[in-house]
Amino acid sequence: MSDALSELKALEDHGAFAARHIGPSEAEVAEMLEALGLESLEALAERTVPAAIRGQEFSALPAPVNEAEAIAELRALAELNNRVHSLIGMGYHGTHVPPVILRNVLENPGWYTAYTPYQAEIAQGRLEALVNFQTMVTDLTGLPVANASLLDEATAAAEAMALALAATKAKSNTLLVAEDVHPQTLAVIRTRAEPLGLTVSVVAPAKVAAACAAQKPFALVLQYPGTTGAVRDIAPEIAAVQAGGGLAIVAADPLSLVLLTPPGEMGADVVIGSSQRFGVPMGYGGPHAAFMAVKDTYKRLMPGRLVGVSVDAAGRPAMRLALQTREQHIRREKATSNICTAQVLLAVMAGMYAVWHGPEGLKRIARRVALQARLLAAAARAAGFTLRHDAFFDTVAIEAGDKAEALMHAALAAGFNLRRLDASGVGIALDETVSRADLDTLVAVLAEVGRAKLALASLAPAGGLPAALERKSAFLTAGVFNSHHAEHSMLRYLKVLEDKDVALNRSMIPLGSCTMKLNATAEMIPVTFPGFGEIHPFAPVDQAAGYLALIRRLEGWLAAITGFAAVSLQPNAGSQGEYAGLLAIRAFHQARGQGQRDICLIPSSAHGTNPASAVMAGMRVVVVGCDRDGNVDLPDLEAKIAQHAGKLSALMITYPSTHGVFEEEIIRICEAVHEAGGQVYMDGANMNAQVGLTAPGRIGADVCHLNLHKTFCIPHGGGGPGVGPIGVASHLAPHLPNHPLLKEAGPATGYGPVSAAPFGSASILPISYAYIRMMGGAALKRATQVAILNANYIAKRLEGHFPVLYKGARGMVAHECILDCRGFQQGGGVLVEDIAKRLQDYGFHAPTMSWPVAGTLMVEPTESEPKAELDRFCDAMIAIRGEIRAVEQGRMDKADNPLKNAPHTAAEVTAEDWTHPYSRADAAFPLPFVAAHKYWPPVKRVDNVYGDRNLVCTCAPLEDYAQAAE
Ligand SMILES: *Cc1c(COP(=O)(O)O)cnc(C)c1O
């Protein structure tokens, strides 16, 4: 190479992204290593990761590219997708994302980098947005309580099934499903019903009422309107299932409910659906926010998160997550749902779509698509076809006889995907993006295939909504849905909410186990490329070539990183990956004639989703204890393996452990399980401590899920979206999930789908793709080393102030550390919660509180935090320790101190009256850096108990309060 070319090579910035993603500079890494008395990052890895598992080759990963190159590569992939206008329906519709929402929510790190709103005081913005979503869902469905989102419509239907089973105390084990529910919904219901021993009975719509009387199912699932578009009066069917003691579950299209009598008014017990068409791109299947609304009687059985209005310490309204005792992290193996990460960002978008359009705007959109459908129905008739249903909302089902194929072809040639219903049927689902020109084209297509002369102008609308089912009740009457129709008003409303919250664009969020690392802008930009957004999940697969190429490459990279043979990207959260992986294990045992193996061993330190998933997969949970060092108690494990030998199905283990330690005995643990005929399921939430240093496949696991929204840079979105792919060893590869509507989605021998869409939340996969592509193998390994370095640096700096609860064999923590705060209660009465709330005054989001050990904080800094930010956090913690000491030593009052009164609001600190024995400055500006970019918590500490006693989950009380204040 010439000198000039060598110089040029040195100046090129391939791989330069790594230095942006990894927070500490070379010099800072050296400084931190020195503080730990270590020579190098390699030496750190040697001190931390047990020798027996160290070493992982990355030969399959390509050399890194820079940001511009990665964006260009993803643009090219997006352009490989063919953006044919899909009028397929089946729960996925074209929609215009209002630009003000696109830019200020979906493309805004203030919204997408936020964490799940467990620390309510610094999450009031997104909590309010979720209350809007819940209000929208209750209004549209006609039921009083709605949750803050579920993963997709099909899993929401399966969740409703589990709710109904619990509500009816399992008096029957038959679930009745009307034949006209979306096929993917039925398929997911079947997957979820099988391990629970439930019978799924499918009946034609006309026979539903009679079947209810004959079979007395525990629940009935209906689609409203039906999957081919038919609208019928479902009230008699609802009454019929209830007469037999079962629950009526209705899967509904939210836009149709603008014009149709809501199922809640017809007596339905549970209404579920997808809010995708409220301004969220189809994205080849997701992510989108599914919804669930229930009768008041069932609110304590409802899966997922529910935002409720409560009051703060000053008596003003404030929101927080309600009824947490329902959830898997509390109920564990008694939970009926494992859902954890949901779809917050998408629920925020859908709720904002309703805010933006308001009731009148939504009516206009709904009436327009309904009229388009009626005109198209008239055209179909005039072209000589018949309609399968005269009563419909936006979807026309055409009986095309032997011209069905010709109709599909002609439509495609004109730029549209229609839905092939069966041999002779074709469905056309209209949506808000269908223009007058599109309608003209569709009419011309019908004319051409039917050999008729047609013109839109001369058609009289045919069919449509039956008058008896027209909606009479008002909806979206709350002020928020009737105020922000001017863009300036909307822009400012979004900004006001955003500014109430702490997200990663403000300060580090050191959440143990949740890996709140950088979500780089270059990774996010491709997500909103139209070539990714506008693809229907059931479009012909040759139109999704870009997606398929991206998916296959990403699967290969993740297989290399985990050391496994095959990967499925279908599960749309970690919890769903757990479930999918356990089903693979179950299917493996069954295929070998070992179906009796149903015991799942789970260490007591496990995340709550683990036992919940095991029960959903038809397993019995046996808890294994932990020893004093936080490791799996080996004698207890061995005893339980021996006790259940012939019945052992699996061990679920998190590695490094949820205590933040690389257990030395992990290989022995895996071997013991294998010797007894069991399989090892690894919870890969802590993969950020493994990548490039070791791998689940190498350690001896058979299956592992990854949380792409933790280790692989998909932002948390305030509590979703996520992606929870599973990697499996070769013997489990035939038992991965698949999908009835796309053979490319998984092996033919698979057990069926766990998500509605073949590749789950496909449209956010470009984020993880971009991350791996820009890092390359060497930098991924360095990221892991620096994540471990950052955690050990924090542990070291805080050592003299807070005891670090668990350490590994050579005195190091893995990528996170647990700070023991239990000792402070005795001396000064300071609780871990007081520390968490006080951190808000310093501008920080608290670490994970009281999990996996009550009374502790689990800190995970990730590799992305620069040293200065780590130091600010440590300074804050040390200053707080000083405040605790002042209380302990009696220099500060036990009840009236900055810890107990935290957080402090601007209103409080600037009020005339200040009665506390510490200064206003100490309250609000306890350290110099705090003043430099002060974050003001918008409310004082939120009262959880009050909110649960007076459960309110909609906008009304907030508005009453705001009015009273005016
Ligand atoms: C986050 C997490 C889960 C659950 O993953 P979701 O994506 O939230 O469903 C499971 N186990 C552990 C250890 C986790 O940290």
Side-chain angles (χ1 to χ4, degrees), residues 84-97:
V84 176
H85 194 154
S86 282
L87 304 176
I88 297 170
M90 301 174 80
Y92 303 91
H93 302 266
T95 178
H96 290 302
V97 185

Side-chain angles (χ1 to χ4, degrees), residues 693-834:
L693 298 182
T694 183
R698 191 192 147 90
I699 293 168
D702 301 285
V703 44
C704 173
H705 81 257
L706 304 173
N707 303 68
L708 297 191
H709 48 298
K710 295 179 182 174
T711 315
F712 295 94
C713 297
I714 291 176
H716 274 245
V723 178
I726 51 172
V728 294
S730 56
H731 63 283
L732 293 179
H735 305 295
L736 284 172
N738 59 15
H739 199 283
L741 299 171
L742 189 70
K743 71 173 181 352
E744 286 78 0
T749 45
Y751 51 71
V754 294
S755 301
F759 297 104
S761 292
S763 71
I764 50 174
L765 296 176
I767 302 168
S768 299
Y769 180 102
Y771 173 60
I772 298 172
R773 192 71 182 91
M774 292 189 290
M775 291 290 274
L780 283 174
K781 176 176 173 183
R782 186 178 169 87
T784 307
Q785 291 171 328
V786 174
I788 295 173
L789 175 67
N790 279 357
N792 279 285
Y793 176 74
I794 286 186
K796 182 86 185 169
R797 267 210 69 191
L798 295 182
E799 191 171 58
H801 310 276
F802 296 85
V804 171
L805 199 51
Y806 302 111
K807 285 188 178 169
R810 286 164 298 278
M812 308 298 281
V813 297
H815 65 313
E816 56 194 7
C817 62
I818 298 183
L819 304 176
D820 195 347
C821 304
R822 294 172 297 189
F824 307 139
Q825 194 176 351
Q826 262 209 327
V830 176
L831 305 175
V832 68
E833 194 188 14
D834 301 324

Side-chain angles (χ1 to χ4, degrees), residues 130 133 147-153 155 275 280 285-291 305 339-350 571-573 576 714-723 755 760-761 764:
L130 291 173
F133 175 81
N147 71 11
S149 77
L150 289 172
L151 291 165
D152 60 34
E153 179 168 347
T155 55
S275 62
V280 181
H288 313 126
F291 58 82
R305 299 182 183 126
I339 187 169
C340 181
T341 287
Q343 301 283 20
V344 169
L345 187 69
L346 303 313
V348 168
M349 287 178 71
N572 46 20
Q576 308 302 296
I714 291 176
H716 274 245
V723 178
S755 301
S761 292
I764 50 174

